């Protein structure tokens, strides 16, 4: 037991080397009445959620009493202090984060240096995520897998914070992308990642909830190409890059979504004005 707490439990990450988001440690505690931390600064992000009781959080010009369901976030370099109530000391859970993406992920959830507090009604859900994060560090023979698991739970925790903080997130129509724009983004991403598959434009349109003609019109307005033309361009550009390597023409064709190497060669020649074999020969001759 920590000598300043009725109850104290923590888990620590021995290899927090994820660059975008890593959990340093996570814990739970029931401090004694009047227990105080700070004034101090940290070089990591420290998040507390109050499960019961009360306490005071101070950071910069912010001073607020926190109760059940309240969460306060301490940012790196920010001078802070927090103290348990003298008569009804809080019971809280915490998680410490570091990484290049943490500030952006917190901002996506509506949490910033200027707005480091939020209230959530789903305390049981948050408690479970904190506990799962802490229990990730069971000192198994695979600490990097533990770290990976913990960062996954941490992302879910930030997701829950965002759902509890919707009132401060941008919601006005002019600040939100049009639905068709979002669907076009998804279609572009789909083609960019799945060009090697037998993609059906009809299937993309149906999945995104649009008639093929409507999707194709919006797609062309955005990219200057129809979905079919965009797919062909993606395949041909990828094929050019692969022809610089050691794959056979058949293997290049298969890698960019053509089951028939002869048909691939015909399409390549039609697109670039030269068959893939001659393109490769020219590359080697130049080199």
């Amino acid at each position: 037991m920590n000598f300043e707490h009725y109850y104290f439990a923590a888990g620590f990450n021995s290899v927090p080397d994820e660059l975008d988001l890593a959990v340093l440690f996570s814990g739970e505690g029931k401090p004694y009445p009047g227990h105080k931390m700070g004034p101090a600064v940290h070089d990591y992000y420290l998040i507390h959620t109050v499960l019961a009781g009360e306490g005071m959080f101070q950071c910069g010009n912010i001073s607020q009493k926190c109760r059940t369901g309240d969460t306060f976030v301490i940012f790196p370099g920010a001078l802070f202090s927090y103290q348990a109530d003298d008569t009804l000391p809080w019971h809280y859970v915490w998680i410490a984060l570091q990484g290049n993406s943490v500030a952006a992920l917190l901002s996506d959830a509506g949490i910033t240096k200027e707005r480091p507090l939020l209230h959530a009604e789903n305390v049981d859900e948050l408690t479970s995520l904190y506990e799962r994060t802490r229990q990730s560090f069971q000192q198994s023979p695979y600490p990097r897998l533990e770290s990976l698991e913990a960062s996954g739970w941490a992302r879910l925790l930030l997701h829950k914070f965002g759902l509890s903080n919707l009132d401060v997130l941008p919601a006005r129509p002019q600040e939100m992308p049009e639905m068709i724009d979002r669907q076009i983004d998804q279609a572009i991403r789909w083609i960019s990642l799945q060009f090697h598959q037998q993609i059906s434009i009809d299937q993309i349109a149906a999945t995104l909830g649009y008639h093929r003609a409507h999707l194709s019109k919006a797609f062309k307005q955005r990219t200057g190409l129809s979905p079919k033309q965009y797919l062909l361009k993606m395949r041909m550009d990828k094929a050019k890059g692969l022809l610089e390597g050691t794959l056979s023409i058949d293997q290049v064709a298969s890698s960019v979504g053509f089951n028939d190497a002869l048909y691939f060669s015909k399409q390549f020649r039609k697109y670039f004005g030269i068959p893939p074999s001659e393109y490769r020969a020219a590359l080697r001759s130049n080199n």
Side-chain angles (χ1 to χ4, degrees):
M1 177 184 292
N2 183 289
F3 70 93
E4 296 178 316
H5 292 71
Y6 295 111
Y7 170 76
F8 182 91
F12 296 87
N13 191 348
S14 61
V15 287
D17 51 8
E18 292 99 333
L19 295 179
D20 58 340
L21 181 150
V23 178
L24 299 179
F25 55 86
S26 183
E28 178 179 354
K30 297 179 180 180
Y32 291 155
H35 169 262
K36 184 177 182 181
M37 294 292 294
V41 296
H42 289 322
D43 58 0
Y44 49 81
Y45 300 84
L46 184 60
I47 305 171
H48 287 73
T49 297
V50 181
L51 306 183
E54 300 177 355
M56 182 65 69
F57 168 69
Q58 293 183 308
C59 186
N61 297 325
I62 298 171
S63 179
Q64 181 166 321
K65 177 166 282 191
C66 295
R67 300 179 175 86
T68 302
D70 290 335
T71 292
F72 59 90
V73 180
I74 298 166
F75 283 73
L79 184 66
F80 72 90
S81 66
Y82 55 92
Q83 184 170 355
D85 189 75
D86 289 330
T87 57
L88 191 62
W90 48 19
H91 170 197
Y92 50 37
V93 283
W94 64 84
I95 186 173
L97 306 174
Q98 70 176 14
N100 300 329
S101 299
V102 178
L105 292 171
L106 286 170
S107 179
D108 288 343
I111 303 169
T112 63
K113 272 188 177 182
E114 297 72 30
R115 194 172 51 243
L117 295 137
L118 66 94
H119 179 79
E121 299 294 338
N122 56 335
V123 177
D124 289 342
E125 291 183 15
L126 298 181
T127 304
S128 176
L129 290 172
Y130 276 104
E131 184 177 358
R132 287 178 178 271
T133 304
R134 185 175 75 252
Q135 290 178 349
S136 298
F137 307 121
Q138 298 298 322
Q139 302 195 7
S140 73
Y142 309 102
R144 280 188 166 77
L145 292 182
E146 293 179 354
S147 181
L148 188 62
E149 179 186 357
S151 63
W153 292 121
R155 288 177 180 273
L156 287 174
L157 182 65
L158 296 182
H159 167 71
K160 293 298 183 183
F161 287 156
L163 293 180
S164 299
N165 218 15
L166 292 178
D167 59 322
V168 303
L169 298 182
R172 295 191 297 273
Q174 62 268 28
E175 295 181 357
M176 299 295 288
E178 292 290 339
M179 183 58 69
I180 185 61
D181 289 335
R182 295 180 61 188
Q183 303 295 48
I184 296 303
D185 288 338
Q186 290 188 47
I188 291 172
R189 188 67 172 165
W190 188 334
I191 294 172
S192 299
L193 294 175
Q194 300 293 317
F195 64 89
H196 58 285
Q197 302 282 357
Q198 299 305 305
I199 294 179
S200 163
I201 304 305
D202 287 330
Q203 181 187 23
I204 294 177
T207 301
L208 297 179
Y210 285 91
H211 188 276
R212 174 174 176 152
H214 183 53
L215 179 68
S216 295
K217 181 180 178 180
F219 195 100
K220 190 167 186 176
Q221 287 176 342
R222 167 76 74 84
T223 66
L225 300 171
S226 70
K228 186 175 180 179
Q229 291 170 333
Y230 189 89
L231 173 59
L232 180 62
K233 181 180 185 302
M234 179 67 63
R235 285 173 167 170
M236 293 296 103
D237 289 344
K238 293 292 183 180
K240 283 182 69 175
L242 291 175
L243 287 168
E244 297 175 7
T246 59
L247 294 180
S248 68
I249 301 297
D250 284 0
Q251 290 168 333
V252 170
S254 179
S255 297
V256 296
F258 289 89
N259 294 329
D260 185 336
L262 291 177
Y263 181 67
F264 161 70
S265 296
K266 179 180 179 181
Q267 291 297 311
F268 190 94
R269 180 172 186 169
K270 184 178 180 181
Y271 198 85
F272 292 114
I274 183 174
S277 56
E278 291 185 22
Y279 177 79
R280 169 170 277 174
L283 285 175
R284 292 175 176 174
S285 176
N286 290 336
N287 290 336

